[in-house]
Amino acid sequence: MELGGRRSDNVIDERGRGIGLPVVGGGLGMAVLALVVYLLGGDPSAVTNMAPSAPQGAPAAPGAPDPQADFVSVVLADTEDTWTELFREHGRTYEDPQLVLFTGAVESACGFAQQAMGPFYCPRDHRVYIDLAFYRELRERFHAPGDFAQAYVIAHEVGHHVQALLGISDRVQSARQRAGEREANALSVKLELQADCFAGVWAFHADKARQILEQGDVEEALNAASAIGDDRLQKQSRGHVTPDSFTHGSSAQRVEWFQRGLKSGRIDQCDTFAAGRRT
Ligand SMILES: [Zn+2]
């Protein structure tokens, strides 16, 4: 993948902060403890400072090269340029999301999050959250190496931001509250597949404008899309698949919708909610 463009101003580096505990449960426990100390009139930083620092994924020393953070920043900038233009064509104004790099665990407007959950988007604060350790996992556990695969992950989260700006997330959220569990899950899958399709739309336009794609890149991204497909994840963790608990869609569905976006470059080709469509 060929990316040499500008860096985004919207990357917030929270790596190596006190809350970044790699131990499951540890970060939350520490945060609760800090809150208790605070409520008792003490200094909560005395508690959070006790947290072991996480050297892995910590920011590089000032001035030192930090290629992964740099890459994320370039990709984010590219999504900003692409979506700004696409929104303008539709008479709308795109608002840039922010992207938070964190280590281990992070506090968002949507709650406390662990790296184990993978990258996510919080519609309440319009921020994408990513622990760069996820990329290592993508390479090693899901066998999805390659820089375009990494870019795809960001583009998918930005796809959720686009859904928030277009009011789709809110509509789906209220529909989910009225629906039964099965229907609610189906709606979540459609939301996820649409984010995949939007990632494809980004790839189409970024390539048209800046020729970012190299031989093999699309295969990389599709490999990532299918590696992160819920059926694969469930097979790896439990040995069997339970379709009704899918929240991201099957590998085949994710590949199909990414391709739709990539081939058309059109937002209106990403209507995963259209009535009667098999998803
Ligand atoms: Zn998603």
Side-chain angles (χ1 to χ4, degrees):
M1 184 173 139
E2 206 60 65
L3 267 185
R6 68 176 182 89
R7 272 77 184 147
S8 170
D9 299 325
N10 293 300
V11 176
I12 301 166
D13 198 343
E14 292 192 356
R15 290 174 296 171
R17 290 277 178 90
I19 198 172
L21 281 180
V23 189
V24 174
L28 187 58
M30 201 64 82
V32 170
L33 187 58
L35 181 66
V36 170
V37 170
Y38 173 75
L39 291 174
L40 292 174
D43 175 12
S45 67
V47 174
T48 46
N49 285 344
M50 281 158 42
S53 60
Q56 233 165 22
D66 190 351
Q68 276 217 305
D70 210 42
F71 176 79
V72 167
S73 183
V74 170
V75 172
L76 184 64
D78 207 287
T79 65
E80 289 164 359
D81 296 343
T82 300
W83 285 109
T84 296
E85 181 60 30
L86 277 172
F87 269 55
R88 204 158 49 105
E89 283 168 15
H90 289 81
R92 288 172 178 263
T93 308
Y94 183 70
E95 294 157 40
D96 294 343
Q98 290 179 309
L99 186 149
V100 179
L101 294 173
F102 70 97
T103 318
V106 73
E107 196 69 59
S108 78
C110 296
F112 182 80
Q114 297 265 348
Q115 185 268 326
M117 291 167 53
F120 68 100
Y121 171 74
C122 173
R124 288 195 202 129
D125 57 17
H126 284 191
R127 285 177 169 185
V128 171
Y129 293 84
I130 184 164
D131 184 331
L132 293 179
F134 177 77
Y135 283 148
R136 198 178 52 234
E137 198 177 12
L138 198 62
R139 271 195 313 274
E140 292 167 7
R141 189 164 152 221
F142 299 119
H143 312 292
D147 51 3
F148 189 70
Q150 300 185 357
Y152 156 79
V153 169
I154 297 168
H156 171 92
E157 299 307 333
V158 170
H160 285 310
H161 175 64
V162 170
Q163 292 173 322
L165 293 182
L166 296 178
I168 297 169
S169 320
D170 277 348
R171 285 203 298 277
V172 170
Q173 189 51 33
S174 46
R176 288 188 81 236
Q177 279 159 3
R178 293 189 303 269
E181 194 190 338
R182 205 190 145 95
E183 176 65 11
N185 269 334
L187 286 168
S188 296
V189 169
K190 288 175 183 182
L191 204 61
E192 291 303 326
L193 294 176
Q194 188 175 59
D196 284 332
C197 189
F198 285 167
V201 170
W202 163 73
F204 172 91
H205 290 281
D207 190 45
K208 204 172 110 191
R210 290 173 285 282
Q211 291 82 45
I212 63 159
L213 291 176
E214 293 174 328
Q215 187 80 30
D217 277 346
V218 171
E219 289 74 14
E220 268 174 29
L222 295 183
N223 190 12
S226 56
I228 311 169
D230 278 6
D231 52 350
R232 281 264 196 103
L233 294 183
Q234 293 195 10
K235 264 181 205 152
Q236 286 192 346
S237 58
R238 279 195 255 153
H240 66 277
V241 198
T242 326
D244 272 357
S245 66
F246 281 3
T247 51
H248 278 80
S250 70
S251 298
Q253 288 173 320
R254 299 199 70 174
V255 167
E256 180 192 327
W257 282 99
F258 178 82
Q259 289 271 30
R260 255 178 196 264
L262 179 67
K263 282 182 180 155
S264 66
R266 294 173 59 101
I267 301 173
D268 61 10
Q269 288 299 304
C270 296
D271 189 2
T272 54
F273 298 93
R277 175 133 57 211
R278 182 190 63 85
T279 56

